[in-house]
Amino acid sequence: MPDLISRFSSRSQRLSHVFLKDRLQGAETYDRIAGYFRSSIFDLIHEEISTIGRVRIVCNADLDPRDLTAATLSQKARDQAQVERWHEHGDDIDALLERPRWRRLHQLLTSGNVQIRVVSRDNAPFLHGKAGVITRPDGTTSSFIGSINETANGWAQSYEMIWEDPSPEAAAWVRSEFDWLWKKGVPLSQAVIDEIGRTAEKVEVQVEEMKADPIGLAKSVTVESPLARRGEGLAPWQKAFVKIFAEHDQNYGAARLLLADEVGVGKTLSMAATGALSVLMGHGPLLILCPATLTLQWQMELWDKLGLPSCVWARAPQKGWVDHLGHVYRSRDPEDILRCPAQIGIVSTGILVRGGPEAQALMRGNYGMIALDEGHKARVKRGIGMDEPEPGKLYQAMERLAGRTRHLVIGTATPIQTNREEIWDLMKLLAYGQDHVLGRPSVSRWWDSEQALDLIAGRTNLPDPEAAWPWLRSPLPHAREAAVFRYIREDLRIQENDFFTDKGLVNLEDFTRGELKDLLENGEIDRKLPFMRFHNPLGRHVVLRRRKTLEDAGMMDRIAVNIHPQPGAAPGVFERSAVRTPHFYDQAYEQVRLFTRAMKARQKGTGFLGNLMMQRICSSVASGMATATKMLENRRERLLLEETEDPDLIEEIEAIGAAEYAAAVDREAQHLERVLEVLTSARQEDPKGRAVLHYLDQEGWLELGSIIFSQYYDTARWVGELISESHPVEPVAVYAGVGKSGILLDGEWRSIDREEIKRGVKERKLRVVCATDAACEGLNLQTLGTLINVDLPWNPSRLEQRIGRIKRYGQQRREVDMANLVYADTVDEKVYQRLSERMQDKYDILGSLPDTIEDDWIEDIEKIEEELKSFTKPESPADVFSLRYGDFLSVDDTGRGWEIWTKVVARRDIEERLMKPWNGRGTAG
């Protein structure tokens, strides 16, 4: 029998002429086992490919198999994994020099005859296993195995070898291997194909070229951001907020918006994207105001996700501005707070609460935009016995700042906590200096919050134009809002940028009056809603998107949360739904009660210190001991802010001042000494440690991956050490504040940057992470499937933020597990019992709750139940939010306009513009 096998080597022959090109010509089908998916896809660029009836390529993307599992992942999550891998090996020079190849490749991938599937690294590492089968119209085949790469280098320059066998047996053998891999693979993501097409047509533009198209500029700035290169990109509702912002700027000359999206929906990125757009449009610098614990988180999100440099005003270790790379610009005097080295400056709201020269300097500045995060903290106090509402210090500061900025965006998931007028307080902040929000204070009805809210809620009616006119003439809505407003403006000859008229209904044409009368009587027919419930300041300036809305729209996966401990679980560890309490805690609690009583007797408003001690003792023995010790040490402002990671404590210290705090603590030192004595004498094992190990080992949570949360670093570190001791070969990460993060392995500690920990979790090298609340914002842990709360934050929104670390976009599991560890018969358990009623819905978990549980609620535990039952978001006209912006989830007809945008602003151009300093007046230098 003649030798049917042919052998080829590039050493003696030009393979581009003698082998594959000839074999593919006129072929009917071509099945190919290829190498890495980026290079393999480029292998397709041949004229012969387009003439073949069916081309199938199976390749590898070095992906974990769990990143490709259709049964557990949404399509979006699989797309994200592929796009991220695609960009890891990107080459901007190649994309420019080889643009015709990119265009040709995109044409092939969209022609319909080419199919590509990707398999995981477990199924096929693809070191050298390249092979293919070519079928001709007459049924004959040619199969080959070899190292050939179908690229210019592979065909003409590299050393390549091919082993060809035309026998049916060889074809069947190669095809069987191909078919096995093909079944294991998932289709090449359309997002990758779109990215190839976008890159083929990409052009670099300057910011100035795009200013006439604000949305286009936003796309140009974000389409190649770090977030986009990781396959994530802005979510549709975040893009929608950018569009709302741009429309408000265009319609009113200033955007004044309250962003009230629910927890976990991503308000930070929405505000960051609009702030960057404002700066690049030349409106002036962006001042971000947020709690002290979120300043570095804001900076990290801006840089790591959007590639936007910024500076944080820091107080320790030395006062001054700190940029995104850690460079410190030391402060010489308070006026330096107006000399920010970058266009985006991030400042703690505590500075405004304390007052002082730095706060006064800030209030002399002029800004393009101010973004206030956690805006509900700017409160107006109301209560029994108060003659008039009393604005808090932060609210008073914001009243002054609101008049010194063009754009103002306030972010809060809880615009109403206990009183519906709280949302109108925030509306008034938006309205300062901008008549288009609530109208002129001297003539507008909208400044009366009670009347306004009754009207919006439908409690009062405006039956005819005469009754409605005082509400409509100030602010007079923009012509684009409804046709009737365009008619009114035309009749009265009012310019687009004017939002007040002193003319009466008699000046309107009969047709316009008739239209207005009909709308007031019949409402918005297509919306089935009273006219004024839709057309009002709240509907215009409040943006709220709920998780359920996004889930119903298919934009977020519905993920159930199973709550533990469940009845009957491990009787030796648990009692009812709590952890068995050790006897010595009663003694410690008694001393804390005495400490609290003495504090309140000596100084009003320091009850939070007692609650702080109570919470820390409820957290762990380690935390209680550390806290008592620190409180007894010599207090210095710098030491305080460096040591603590408790958000509530930091805010209280900033509010009352470090000196006052230190004096208050020192006066009650004897009670703290007794607390420390009790805890130190308790050498027995903390039962919460046994509970953690029960879930990791007996319940199998270690295999699923677990995030273990505490409010306090001492507890997080203690839990990490405990797990490391019992699992010496398991790396255990501690994710905390700057300089406190690291990994424990067999008890050995190694300091590790937080970004490395996040990467380790994503790549599944780390299965256990012990984290503090101060570090949890923005932490994405989709690869971990369980959560243990070692202590309970007395703050519903923070508990929901914890859940949001795993109950989020891209989570591997359809159901996740959460254990809440509280000691039985303690105030912790009582708070948990009140909150747990809101956790019965395994999908919504907490639902609508106030952002904060007040100190006085803790003292009278029954008050918690009363307040939680009275807290209902339906008190706010939530249906108006939904109708106005609740379905506003996309900015393009196709929904993909951002991802395929081809006009790109160079990252260097963006950074240069954003690193221009302020000039000492809060304006661009």
Side-chain angles (χ1 to χ4, degrees):
M1 177 181 289
D3 187 2
L4 299 177
I5 295 176
S6 302
R7 305 168 187 83
F8 301 88
S9 167
S10 61
R11 180 176 60 82
S12 56
Q13 298 164 302
R14 292 185 64 188
L15 298 185
S16 57
H17 285 72
V18 302
F19 177 64
L20 200 52
K21 183 175 182 180
D22 296 338
R23 302 304 190 271
L24 290 175
Q25 200 138 21
E28 190 168 86
T29 67
Y30 176 36
D31 291 340
R32 173 68 190 270
I33 301 173
Y36 188 73
F37 86 133
R38 185 179 176 102
S39 57
S40 299
I41 290 170
F42 276 106
D43 290 351
L44 293 171
I45 307 174
H46 304 293
E47 293 181 4
E48 292 76 16
I49 293 292
S50 62
T51 65
I52 301 173
R54 187 197 70 191
V55 178
R56 298 189 300 175
I57 307 291
V58 61
C59 51
N60 170 261
D62 193 31
L63 288 164
D64 189 286
R66 287 166 290 188
D67 286 329
L68 298 177
T69 306
T72 58
L73 282 183
S74 66
Q75 182 62 49
K76 178 64 180 177
R78 297 201 302 275
D79 288 349
Q80 179 181 323
Q82 290 190 38
V83 170
E84 181 173 20
R85 282 293 188 267
W86 176 264
H87 281 299
E88 282 180 357
H89 298 273
D91 186 338
D92 289 336
I93 296 177
D94 180 73
L96 176 62
L97 300 182
E98 302 292 340
R99 179 171 290 176
R101 294 174 65 239
W102 284 75
R103 288 175 177 157
R104 177 67 179 146
L105 177 59
H106 188 250
Q107 290 170 0
L108 286 170
L109 294 175
T110 55
S111 64
N113 70 318
V114 177
Q115 300 174 55
I116 297 177
R117 288 196 178 184
V118 179
V119 296
S120 73
R121 59 172 173 257
D122 281 11
N123 288 325
F126 284 129
L127 297 177
H128 295 288
K130 299 173 184 176
V133 179
I134 300 166
T135 304
R136 304 180 185 90
D138 61 4
T140 59
T141 60
S142 177
S143 60
F144 64 89
I145 298 175
S147 61
I148 189 168
N149 289 306
E150 298 157 44
T151 62
N153 285 337
W155 279 45
Q157 298 172 21
S158 300
Y159 184 84
E160 306 284 356
M161 293 186 296
I162 305 167
W163 193 284
E164 181 188 22
D165 188 340
S167 70
E169 293 82 6
W173 184 80
V174 173
R175 186 169 282 120
S176 68
E177 294 295 316
F178 174 89
D179 289 343
W180 183 84
L181 291 168
W182 187 257
K183 290 176 182 177
K184 293 284 186 181
V186 297
L188 178 68
S189 167
Q190 182 62 44
V192 172
I193 297 173
D194 288 344
E195 179 61 14
I196 291 169
R198 188 195 69 81
T199 304
E201 304 302 328
K202 181 175 77 171
V203 294
E204 189 170 299
V205 295
Q206 301 297 313
V207 170
E208 298 299 329
E209 299 175 50
M210 301 300 300
K211 283 188 176 181
D213 178 12
I215 299 299
L217 177 57
K219 295 176 185 178
S220 299
V221 169
T222 59
V223 70
E224 291 191 350
S225 65
L227 191 70
R229 288 184 173 273
R230 290 198 296 269
E232 299 175 52
L234 293 177
W237 56 93
Q238 293 168 332
K239 301 170 191 172
F241 186 72
V242 176
K243 183 177 182 183
I244 294 169
F245 178 90
E247 288 178 344
H248 275 242
D249 181 44
Q250 182 181 9
N251 292 345
Y252 307 116
R256 296 293 178 116
L257 294 166
L258 174 58
L259 181 57
D261 288 347
E262 284 188 338
V263 171
V265 172
K267 291 184 292 296
T268 301
L269 280 179
S270 293
M271 292 193 286
T274 54
L277 177 61
S278 169
V279 172
L280 294 172
M281 289 289 291
H283 298 165
L286 166 62
L287 172 63
I288 297 171
L289 299 168
C290 62
T293 51
L294 296 182
T295 55
L296 293 178
Q297 180 61 45
W298 261 94
Q299 186 176 54
M300 186 169 64
E301 294 240 339
L302 285 166
W303 181 245
D304 291 351
K305 294 190 175 183
L306 297 179
L308 304 175
S310 63
C311 290
V312 171
W313 181 259
R315 299 171 61 198
Q318 53 192 16
K319 187 176 292 186
W321 289 103
V322 181
D323 71 15
H324 61 294
L325 299 177
H327 302 140
V328 179
Y329 302 80
R330 296 188 63 176
S331 172
R332 298 159 296 177
D333 59 66
E335 293 297 316
D336 281 339
I337 202 168
L338 283 181
R339 302 186 183 102
C340 180
Q343 284 294 285
I344 302 177
I346 306 168
V347 176
S348 164
T349 47
I351 288 177
L352 298 177
V353 172
R354 286 196 315 276
E358 292 164 1
Q360 295 304 314
L362 273 181
M363 292 181 212
R364 291 193 294 274
N366 294 292
Y367 311 96
M369 174 173 156
I370 293 177
L372 173 64
D373 197 9
E374 302 288 323
H376 53 272
K377 295 183 182 293
R379 301 180 67 178
V380 175
K381 298 177 183 177
R382 295 177 174 83
I384 299 173
M386 294 182 66
D387 295 332
E388 295 289 335
E390 182 181 320
K393 292 179 180 178
L394 179 57
Y395 192 91
Q396 293 178 48
M398 288 306 303
E399 284 181 309
R400 294 179 60 183
L401 285 169
R404 305 196 70 87
T405 181
R406 174 171 176 170
H407 308 300
L408 176 59
V409 176
I410 300 175
T412 172
T414 52
I416 296 175
Q417 297 183 80
T418 56
N419 188 313
R420 68 174 188 162
E421 291 193 18
E422 289 168 344
I423 194 171
W424 218 252
D425 296 333
L426 297 178
M427 288 292 295
K428 288 178 179 177
L429 287 182
L430 297 179
Y432 281 108
Q434 298 291 339
D435 287 350
H436 72 273
V437 181
L438 295 180
R440 296 184 179 180
S442 58
V443 297
S444 173
R445 297 280 183 90
W446 293 107
W447 284 84
D448 186 321
S449 57
E450 186 173 352
Q451 287 191 53
L453 288 166
D454 281 347
L455 177 61
I456 295 171
R459 295 179 180 177
T460 57
N461 239 346
L462 300 177
D464 52 51
E466 285 73 20
W469 190 246
W471 295 88
L472 291 176
R473 72 187 186 100
S474 182
L476 182 62
H478 198 278
R480 293 191 182 95
E481 186 168 315
V484 69
F485 299 133
R486 185 173 72 253
Y487 303 152
I488 291 173
R489 286 179 172 273
E490 289 173 353
D491 291 354
L492 303 181
R493 298 183 180 179
I494 298 173
Q495 299 297 316
E496 278 193 0
N497 56 353
D498 288 334
F499 302 97
F500 169 79
T501 180
D502 55 4
K503 297 179 181 178
L505 285 170
V506 67
N507 299 106
L508 296 179
E509 299 287 341
D510 292 342
F511 172 80
T512 304
R513 283 202 304 272
E515 283 288 297
L516 182 58
K517 185 175 186 296
D518 182 60
L519 286 167
L520 290 168
E521 290 177 353
N522 300 314
E524 293 275 0
I525 296 173
D526 58 335
R527 300 186 180 94
K528 299 179 181 178
L529 192 73
F531 185 73
M532 294 301 292
R533 289 197 68 193
F534 187 81
H535 296 288
N536 61 71
L538 203 66
R540 288 180 203 115
H541 299 282
V542 177
V543 181
L544 182 152
R545 279 77 57 92
R546 296 180 175 81
R547 182 186 286 116
K548 187 177 186 304
T549 305
L550 304 176
E551 290 171 349
D552 291 345
M555 295 183 178
M556 293 183 77
D557 293 332
R558 278 175 61 80
I559 300 171
V561 179
N562 301 314
I563 307 297
H564 302 264
Q566 295 179 346
V573 179
F574 301 106
E575 179 180 331
R576 300 186 302 276
S577 295
V579 178
R580 283 189 177 276
T581 307
H583 66 87
F584 59 82
Y585 268 60
D586 292 336
Q587 301 171 45
Y589 282 143
E590 178 59 28
Q591 291 302 321
V592 170
R593 278 192 286 270
L594 293 172
F595 167 73
T596 305
R597 190 181 306 162
M599 286 292 302
K600 288 189 173 182
R602 292 175 181 266
Q603 184 169 351
K604 183 181 178 182
T606 55
F608 81 93
L609 290 174
N611 286 336
L612 169 74
M613 274 301 306
M614 193 75 77
Q615 281 186 292
R616 288 195 175 234
I617 290 174
C618 285
S619 174
S620 69
V621 173
S623 176
M625 290 177 61
T627 301
T629 301
K630 288 175 183 176
M631 282 185 169
L632 286 168
E633 290 176 355
N634 180 32
R635 311 314 301 171
R636 297 195 310 272
E637 180 178 347
R638 172 178 170 181
L639 184 64
L640 270 174
L641 293 178
E642 282 184 330
E643 285 185 350
T644 186
E645 286 204 13
D646 178 57
D648 299 318
L649 177 58
I650 289 178
E651 289 173 23
E652 291 292 350
I653 293 171
E654 289 193 332
I656 69 173
E660 286 296 316
Y661 168 81
V665 172
D666 289 342
R667 279 195 296 269
E668 313 309 323
Q670 59 179 342
H671 296 295
L672 290 175
E673 288 172 349
R674 289 173 187 161
V675 171
L676 182 59
E677 181 182 343
V678 170
L679 294 178
T680 304
S681 65
R683 298 297 182 186
Q684 66 194 77
E685 176 189 355
D686 190 321
K688 282 194 178 181
R690 293 175 59 202
V692 169
L693 295 178
H694 166 80
Y695 283 110
L696 292 180
D697 299 332
Q698 273 67 54
E699 300 291 338
W701 289 15
L702 182 60
E703 290 298 319
L704 297 170
S706 189
I707 172 75
I708 302 171
F709 268 120
S710 171
Q711 298 176 88
Y712 313 114
Y713 177 75
D714 303 301
T715 299
R717 179 68 182 261
W718 163 71
V719 171
E721 291 172 349
L722 177 71
I723 298 170
S724 183
E725 182 181 341
S726 60
H727 299 76
V729 298
E730 184 76 31
V732 179
V734 177
Y735 189 94
V738 177
K740 294 184 176 182
S741 298
I743 291 178
L744 289 154
L745 184 63
D746 194 13
E748 180 185 349
W749 172 262
R750 182 71 56 85
S751 296
I752 301 290
D753 184 78
R754 288 189 296 190
E755 286 305 298
E756 290 296 316
I757 293 176
K758 288 197 287 187
R759 188 176 300 111
V761 171
K762 186 169 187 177
E763 295 175 355
R764 296 184 176 83
K765 296 176 182 176
L766 298 172
R767 298 189 297 179
V768 181
V769 179
C770 302
T772 63
D773 281 318
C776 82
E777 264 299 303
L779 182 62
N780 301 329
L781 299 170
Q782 297 95 318
T783 59
L784 305 181
T786 66
L787 184 152
I788 300 174
N789 291 309
V790 179
D791 48 45
L792 179 75
W794 294 350
N795 179 320
S797 69
R798 191 165 297 142
L799 183 56
E800 191 144 13
Q801 285 171 348
R802 287 184 181 183
I803 299 166
R805 297 310 100 207
I806 62 172
K807 179 183 164 68
R808 66 188 303 110
Y809 194 54
Q811 169 57 242
Q812 304 285 332
R813 304 179 67 203
R814 294 306 184 195
E815 290 192 357
V816 295
D817 292 279
M818 176 176 70
N820 299 310
L821 307 183
V822 295
Y823 287 121
D825 300 318
T826 64
V827 66
D828 227 19
E829 186 190 22
K830 293 175 183 176
V831 173
Y832 175 63
Q833 286 172 346
R834 300 307 185 271
L835 288 176
S836 63
E837 295 174 7
R838 298 299 183 98
M839 295 185 185
Q840 291 175 1
D841 186 328
K842 66 194 314 184
Y843 285 99
D844 289 342
I845 305 300
L846 294 179
S848 299
L849 284 174
D851 180 74
T852 304
I853 292 178
E854 304 292 343
D855 287 343
D856 62 334
W857 300 5
I858 304 298
E859 294 162 27
D860 180 3
I861 205 70
E862 298 307 319
K863 193 171 183 180
I864 294 182
E865 188 169 6
E866 175 187 335
E867 293 290 347
L868 294 182
K869 285 182 177 178
S870 67
F871 184 87
T872 52
K873 275 190 179 172
E875 175 80 89
S876 69
D879 53 331
V880 177
F881 302 151
S882 297
L883 285 164
R884 185 80 177 202
Y885 290 130
D887 58 352
F888 194 86
L889 302 174
S890 180
V891 292
D892 299 287
D893 294 336
T894 63
R896 298 226 12 107
W898 288 56
E899 284 75 12
I900 61 175
W901 189 253
T902 58
K903 299 177 181 178
V904 179
V905 175
R907 305 312 301 174
R908 185 176 62 182
D909 189 16
I910 295 171
E911 290 180 35
E912 284 180 355
R913 287 174 177 270
L914 294 185
M915 286 307 293
K916 291 181 179 179
W918 300 357
N919 64 4
R921 295 189 299 276
T923 55

